[in-house]
Amino acid sequence: DIQLTQSPSFLSASVGDRVTITCRASQGISSSLAWYQQKPGKAPKVLIYAAFTLQSGVPSRFSGSGSGTEFTLTISSLQPEDFATYYCQQVNSYPLTFGGGTKVEIK
Amino acid sequence: DVQLLQSGGGLVQPGGSLRLSCAASGFTFSDSSMQWVRQAPGKGLEWVSAITSSGDSASYAASVKGRFTISRDNSKNTLNLQMNSLRVEDTAVYYCASGGVSARKFDPWGQGTLVTVSS
């Protein structure tokens, strides 16, 4: 199975900050990685897929990069509505797996 | 609107059974692979099961293989998850979602339904 390691697991930041979350895969997955945002009591929402493709309707302050085993999600200027938990997911092969999550909280 | 509406769930004793359903609307259900994902209280996301668009092939996480069965009815735009021999550790919010390897994402997601396994 492909393991995904997200870092950090917790992040404290201020409105306007640039935030970067990293996701490392235990083996190469090409560009088969998606990023999700989840708020308490809600279903996850896709932000980025195929490593760097912005999902329709998602603000352009979100961006993704990487391929192979190392990926990043960047929020260029953190907004109040961005405080949430973020997950990466590999969609290269079954069993599909998620990273452990990164909780972004207000400093 | 593209939507997945879930039903089922609730409280069940260890060893019991439960069936979850997910009704799709607003997209071509029969063209989409479908998924189940769960989230234990306070924990991260765990992929549970997948089924191809035609329903001819399914995949399961090791933690549920042999106990859970995924199925779909393309004539009714409905996805199901039959859960047998439930364990305390199966307690979670269960989400259905459209997508998979070909789509490279899960979208949309259902609203989630809570399954509690407890005596």
Side-chain angles (χ1 to χ4, degrees):
Chain A
D1 297 2
I2 298 172
Q3 312 300 321
L4 296 180
T5 304
Q6 264 184 258
S7 59
S9 55
F10 176 85
L11 190 160
S12 182
S14 301
V15 172
D17 283 354
R18 182 182 181 88
V19 167
T20 299
I21 299 168
T22 298
C23 180
R24 288 189 176 89
S26 59
Q27 62 191 76
I29 57 170
S30 185
S31 60
S32 297
L33 191 99
W35 290 97
Y36 300 86
Q37 177 193 68
Q38 188 181 33
K39 295 183 178 179
K42 299 294 187 181
K45 167 189 160 183
V46 64
L47 302 173
I48 302 285
Y49 64 99
F52 54 82
T53 302
L54 191 68
Q55 173 73 4
S56 175
V58 173
S60 59
R61 63 180 179 272
F62 292 93
S63 64
S65 64
S67 67
T69 60
E70 186 126 351
F71 302 86
T72 59
L73 172 70
T74 299
I75 309 172
S76 60
S77 178
L78 199 64
Q79 297 302 300
E81 60 268 31
D82 300 337
F83 291 96
T85 301
Y86 294 84
Y87 294 93
C88 58
Q89 179 203 29
Q90 67 83 13
V91 286
N92 183 73
S93 60
Y94 287 98
L96 305 182
T97 46
F98 291 89
T102 296
K103 188 172 185 179
V104 178
E105 290 199 341
I106 302 172
K107 182 184 280 185
Chain B
D1 274 5
V2 174
Q3 191 175 9
L4 294 172
L5 188 61
Q6 296 182 226
S7 58
L11 175 64
V12 62
Q13 291 188 338
S17 297
L18 214 53
R19 184 178 179 88
L20 305 183
S21 293
C22 173
S25 59
F27 66 100
T28 308
F29 180 73
S30 58
D31 285 348
S32 302
S33 293
M34 296 295 295
Q35 313 280 338
W36 288 99
V37 175
R38 69 184 180 183
Q39 187 169 36
K43 302 297 184 183
L45 300 169
E46 179 189 15
W47 173 79
V48 172
S49 183
I51 190 167
T52 56
S53 57
S54 64
D56 63 351
S57 181
S59 302
Y60 299 92
S63 56
V64 308
K65 197 167 188 177
R67 300 186 299 122
F68 290 12
T69 302
I70 191 172
S71 64
R72 65 191 296 159
D73 185 339
N74 284 348
S75 68
K76 297 181 179 178
N77 288 353
T78 301
L79 174 74
N80 301 298
L81 186 68
Q82 178 67 40
M83 303 184 293
N84 298 331
S85 304
L86 282 161
R87 304 168 179 169
V88 170
E89 56 264 34
D90 294 320
T91 295
V93 174
Y94 285 73
Y95 296 99
C96 61
S98 175
V101 171
S102 301
R104 296 186 163 190
K105 60 181 174 178
F106 288 5
D107 178 66
W109 293 63
Q111 82 276 21
T113 187
L114 177 62
V115 172
T116 303
V117 185
S118 174
S119 54

